[in-house]
């Protein structure tokens, strides 16, 4: 227990770093995922190709490689940002591909007749998608999106290898101070469990509330 009590501030900074990474990257992933899902079902061929390439490339690229590409590649183009922001970009873009596929699967559950009816009333594609299709698809994609964001929270541990303050990186100074590596990782695991269970609880509430609203 002294591993935690003696280093509570250190664990707190690591936990806060993981929570910040998870929140910011989740917002980016949700925004990009929704946009790419719209591209993939758009009537414009170039948008569908762009969305397909985005999903195919990111889903089949190791996240660690994407971190290297963002942290080492963007500065070559004059884009110099804090390491935490680079990590948010890497995590958010990577996860957006999985969010996109979850949303697209939800869109496919909506009967095509509803989209055709909306278009027959003179609604544009964006209006049909935003007013008719996505609200119905939302109820079907809450569980997979929740699972994807839980995976994002765990994937944030990679950021610690790139000088970003997060929970897993806490073990390095603790190891240097001579604390038990086993107990150091036990409390790190408890921290990740807190984050993932919090996300799970939020999405359980969303799912229940949406079910009642129906």
């Amino acid at each position: 227990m002294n591993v935690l009590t003696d280093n509570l501030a250190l664990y707190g900074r690591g936990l806060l770093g993981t929570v910040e990474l998870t929140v910011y990257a989740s917002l980016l992933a949700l925004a990009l995922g929704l946009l790419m899902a719209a591209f993939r079902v758009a009537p414009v061929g170039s948008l569908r190709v762009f969305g397909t390439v985005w999903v195919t490339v990111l889903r089949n690229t190791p996240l660690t490689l994407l971190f290297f590409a963002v942290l080492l590649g963007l500065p070559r183009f004059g884009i110099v940002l804090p390491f935490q922001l680079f990590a948010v970009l890497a995590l958010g873009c990577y996860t957006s591909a999985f969010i996109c596929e979850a949303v697209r699967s939800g869109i496919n559950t909506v009967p095509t007749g509803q989209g055709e009816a909306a278009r027959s009333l003179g609604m544009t594609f964006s209006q049909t998608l935003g007013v008719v299709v996505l609200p119905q698809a939302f109820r079907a994609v809450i569980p997979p999106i929740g699972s994807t964001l839980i995976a994002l929270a765990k994937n944030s541990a990679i950021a610690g290898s790139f000088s970003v303050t997060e929970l897993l990186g806490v073990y390095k100074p603790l190891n240097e101070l001579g604390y038990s590596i086993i107990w150091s990782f036990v409390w790190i695991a408890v921290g990740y469990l807190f984050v993932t269970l919090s996300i799970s609880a939020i999405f359980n509430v969303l799912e229940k509330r949406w079910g009642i609203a129906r």
Side-chain angles (χ1 to χ4, degrees), residues 3-195:
V3 176
L4 177 65
T5 56
D6 293 348
N7 302 279
L8 199 57
L10 184 61
Y11 273 106
R13 287 195 298 272
L15 180 61
L16 180 61
T18 294
V19 170
E20 289 180 345
L21 274 177
T22 301
V23 171
Y24 296 145
S26 295
L27 293 175
L28 179 61
L30 289 169
L32 287 176
L34 284 171
L35 181 63
M36 291 303 125
F39 280 6
R40 295 209 65 184
V41 298
V44 182
S46 58
L47 293 181
R48 291 199 303 272
V49 170
F50 183 87
T52 300
V53 170
W54 179 276
V55 170
T56 302
V57 170
L58 291 177
R59 288 185 71 187
N60 294 283
T61 300
L63 181 55
T64 304
L65 180 60
L66 186 59
F67 264 90
F68 277 113
V70 170
L71 269 76
L72 302 180
L74 291 182
R76 291 180 177 270
F77 296 95
I79 303 175
V80 180
L81 300 169
F83 281 176
Q84 186 181 32
L85 190 50
F86 278 130
V88 168
L89 287 174
L91 282 168
C93 290
Y94 177 80
T95 308
S96 70
F98 298 90
I99 297 290
C100 170
E101 290 301 276
V103 173
R104 191 168 71 95
S105 67
I107 291 173
N108 290 334
T109 65
V110 180
T112 56
Q114 297 200 24
E116 294 172 354
R119 287 192 295 272
S120 69
L121 293 173
M123 297 178 69
T124 63
F125 169 74
S126 59
Q127 289 173 330
T128 301
L129 192 64
V131 177
V132 177
V133 178
L134 284 180
Q136 296 184 73
F138 177 70
R139 66 171 67 96
V141 302
I142 293 176
I145 286 180
S147 298
T148 302
L149 296 186
I150 287 173
L152 183 153
K154 293 184 287 187
N155 287 338
S156 68
I158 297 176
S161 302
F162 296 91
S163 303
V164 177
T165 301
E166 53 77 47
L167 193 55
L168 184 60
V170 169
Y171 87 90
K172 296 177 184 177
L174 292 180
N175 189 42
E176 293 172 358
L177 292 171
Y179 286 97
S180 169
I181 193 68
I182 295 176
W183 283 105
S184 297
F185 277 113
V186 165
W187 290 114
I188 288 172
V190 170
Y192 277 108
L193 189 63
F194 169 78
V195 174

